[in-house]
């Protein structure tokens, strides 16, 4: 009877088995990794952090879309399997968000606070390597944007209805 019940019980840890960060981990590792996160449903229009704010969490996008703006200009749309927030948690010199993040479609996200994020990196070296690699790529991108982007591109703010920045004081990571 136990195996039959398990077929119909929603396992919140199951999301780690399909998220690219956790590829190659065993079943027990996936379950333990999932416990480092809190899973939330978020609505369109909610802010998940503003550029310059102190980074307060690492976010893995399970389902949905999150728009990324830098200096008020749209730069990317992150969707299922993406993640953000690592740079501010990894950098010793600056613990701030390097971009603003706004939910563009109803989404399901998983959040690890700084302590849990540190535990995740320590306990799962393969996951840590993937996070560090992408953080390095994003730092290089940001260095190029910072050297060429004056932030004075108001004509980009409304392209395809992309929200340049949406603030919701009720959502903080």
């Amino acid at each position: 009877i136990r195996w039959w019940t398990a077929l119909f019980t929603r396992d919140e840890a199951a999301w780690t088995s399909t998220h690219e960060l956790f590829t190659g981990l065993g079943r027990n590792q996936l379950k333990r990794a999932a416990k480092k996160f809190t899973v939330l449903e978020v609505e369109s229009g909610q802010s998940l952090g503003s550029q310059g704010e102190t980074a307060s969490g690492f976010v893995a996008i399970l389902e949905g879309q999150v728009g990324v703006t830098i200096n008020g200009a749209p730069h990317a749309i992150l969707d299922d399997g993406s993640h953000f927030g690592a740079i501010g948690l990894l950098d010793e010199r600056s613990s701030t968000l390097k971009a603003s993040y706004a939910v563009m479609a109803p989404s399901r996200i998983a959040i690890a606070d700084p302590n849990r994020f540190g535990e995740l990196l320590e306990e799962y070296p393969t996951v840590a390597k993937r996070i560090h690699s992408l953080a390095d790529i994003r730092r290089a991108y940001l260095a190029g944007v910072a050297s060429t982007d004056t932030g004075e591109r108001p004509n980009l703010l409304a392209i395809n209805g992309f929200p340049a920045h949406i603030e919701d004081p009720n959502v903080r990571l």
Side-chain angles (χ1 to χ4, degrees):
I1 291 180
R2 193 175 300 161
W3 67 270
W4 181 258
T5 307
L7 289 175
F8 297 100
T9 304
R10 183 174 178 165
D11 182 7
E12 279 300 330
W15 70 265
T16 52
S17 66
T18 59
H19 198 282
E20 65 185 37
L21 280 178
F22 303 98
T23 301
L25 296 183
R27 182 184 304 177
N28 289 333
Q29 290 175 312
L30 292 168
K31 286 182 180 183
R32 285 194 317 269
K35 289 180 181 179
K36 307 271 184 224
F37 292 83
T38 301
V39 176
L40 298 173
E41 305 281 336
V42 290
E43 296 298 320
S44 294
Q46 290 185 320
S47 172
L48 297 178
S50 298
Q51 185 174 348
E53 289 181 346
T54 300
S56 59
F58 174 76
V59 179
I61 302 170
L62 310 182
E63 300 169 19
Q65 293 183 329
V66 174
V68 181
T69 60
I70 300 172
N71 298 330
H75 278 266
I77 297 175
L78 304 177
D79 58 11
D80 306 6
S82 297
H83 57 84
F84 64 90
I87 295 175
L89 297 175
L90 293 172
D91 286 353
E92 294 175 10
R93 289 178 287 152
S94 174
S95 62
T96 60
L97 292 173
K98 309 307 182 228
S100 296
Y101 303 92
V103 180
M104 297 184 66
S107 300
R108 191 165 166 256
I109 60 173
I111 305 169
D113 67 35
N115 292 331
R116 296 288 188 162
F117 178 68
E119 292 170 6
L120 182 76
L121 296 179
E122 189 175 305
E123 293 174 28
Y124 303 97
T126 303
V127 174
K129 185 176 180 179
R130 290 174 184 148
I131 290 170
H132 280 282
S133 293
L134 189 55
D136 288 343
I137 292 167
R138 289 180 176 169
R139 281 186 196 100
Y141 173 78
L142 287 168
V145 169
S147 66
T148 60
D149 186 357
T150 64
E152 298 176 12
R153 298 190 292 176
N155 57 324
L156 293 179
L157 297 180
I159 291 178
N160 296 326
F162 189 100
H165 183 67
I166 301 171
E167 290 191 28
D168 183 342
N170 299 316
V171 178
R172 289 288 172 239
L173 303 178

